[in-house]
Structure formats: C-alpha cells, structure tokens
Amino acid sequence: MDNKKEIFGYQGIFFDDSVRTELIKFQQKGLNENIINMHVTFNYGRLYKFPENIVGKEVEVIIVGYGSDGLNSGFAVEIPEELNEFYKNKSVAHITVSLGEVNGIKGKAVDTGKLEFNKLDKILKIKGRIGYFLSEVGVVFDNSIFN
C-alpha cells in the first residue's frame, strides 16, 4: 500500500527576523507592506521531500541584485551550487521584501521574480535554513510533515 501524503505549500530557504530587518533596511525603494516570512521559493504547490542531509541545514545566500516597480521590492540572489538541483521555480532566485499598491492594484509576492534586478554595488551575504511552509503549520525545518 502506498501511503505517500500529498502536501501543499512552498519550500526553500527561510530567513529569521534579524535577516528580515537587514533586508528591509538594505532595499533601495521599500514599499508599504513588508513581508513577514521572507524566503527564497524553490517550489510552490505540491511539496517534494528534501533529503535528510539538506532539510534544516543553514546555508549562505548572496544578494546580487535589487528591483522595485512600486508593486514589488526584492533581491535577486545566488543560492549555493549544491542546492541548484532542488530549485524548481521558473524565475530567477529571489527574495520578496515588500509589496506596494499602484493605481488600486496591490503587489503580489509571486510577481517579484519578474522584476528587472539591477546589480548592486555592495554584495550582501545572509544565512537562512532550508525548510517548508504550510499555511496551517508555519515553517518546518525537518521532514516530519511527510510522516
């Protein structure tokens, strides 16, 4: 009998409040609504299980570009090469930092990857942990959700 659970949410690299504060200050054109749970999305929708040696691991991410169009503000990032095989997102790896509103249209985090990211003069390195986000649970840094 196959008891594989289908679980939906998103997975990737998640950042703590100290990194969140740093990114809010580092953005050049911050918008009115800061993202609470900042992360790099590897996959959205049906989750796949990260290998045990990857999930929960602390990794360094390099911020290489910044973009803002009034609706979305965020950073393009380089993830560690060892994680490239797990990155399933179609857009450039990025972190949404804040959202805004223009002419009654509210920004959506899903659109940050479409921004034009300008190279930064100063490179910033930040650390986050690999995990999952489920709306009914929050962020999880182990594979217990698959049991």
Side-chain angles (χ1 to χ4, degrees), residues 33-50:
E33 183 189 335
N34 292 321
I35 299 296
I36 292 168
N37 188 7
M38 290 184 195
H39 63 279
V40 176
T41 304
F42 281 34
N43 176 54
Y44 176 80
R46 189 170 152 250
L47 301 181
Y48 60 87
K49 191 174 181 179
F50 282 127

Side-chain angles (χ1 to χ4, degrees), residues 18 40 44 49-50 56 67 69 73 81 89 94-95 104 110 122 124 127 132 134 138 141-142:
S18 65
V40 176
Y44 176 80
K49 191 174 181 179
F50 282 127
D69 64 1
S73 174
E81 199 171 310
N89 203 336
H94 64 276
I95 302 167
V110 70
K122 176 185 166 199
L124 181 66
K127 290 191 180 200
Y132 311 94
L134 291 81
F141 292 114
D142 61 37

Side-chain angles (χ1 to χ4, degrees), residues 7-70:
I7 302 165
F8 296 88
Y10 53 92
Q11 63 197 101
I13 304 171
F14 296 85
F15 304 99
D16 67 17
D17 285 342
S18 65
V19 172
R20 179 180 183 268
T21 301
E22 193 175 1
L23 292 178
I24 289 168
K25 287 181 193 164
F26 197 58
Q27 63 184 337
Q28 295 156 1
K29 294 182 201 158
L31 305 175
N32 58 340
E33 183 189 335
N34 292 321
I35 299 296
I36 292 168
N37 188 7
M38 290 184 195
H39 63 279
V40 176
T41 304
F42 281 34
N43 176 54
Y44 176 80
R46 189 170 152 250
L47 301 181
Y48 60 87
K49 191 174 181 179
F50 282 127
E52 290 296 332
N53 66 331
I54 296 288
V55 69
K57 183 177 180 180
E58 185 178 71
V59 295
E60 187 174 77
V61 173
I62 302 169
I63 298 196
V64 295
Y66 175 75
S68 180
D69 64 1

Side-chain angles (χ1 to χ4, degrees), residues 93-143:
H94 64 276
I95 302 167
T96 302
V97 178
S98 60
L99 299 173
E101 188 173 330
V102 176
N103 299 326
I105 298 168
K106 291 185 183 235
K108 296 178 188 156
V110 70
D111 292 331
T112 304
K114 299 173 188 167
L115 289 174
E116 186 175 317
F117 295 101
N118 298 312
K119 196 171 164 100
L120 296 171
D121 297 334
K122 176 185 166 199
I123 286 180
L124 181 66
K125 293 180 180 182
I126 57 174
K127 290 191 180 200
R129 286 177 66 202
I130 302 201
Y132 311 94
F133 180 87
L134 291 81
S135 56
E136 64 275 7
V137 178
V139 180
V140 178
F141 292 114
D142 61 37
N143 283 327

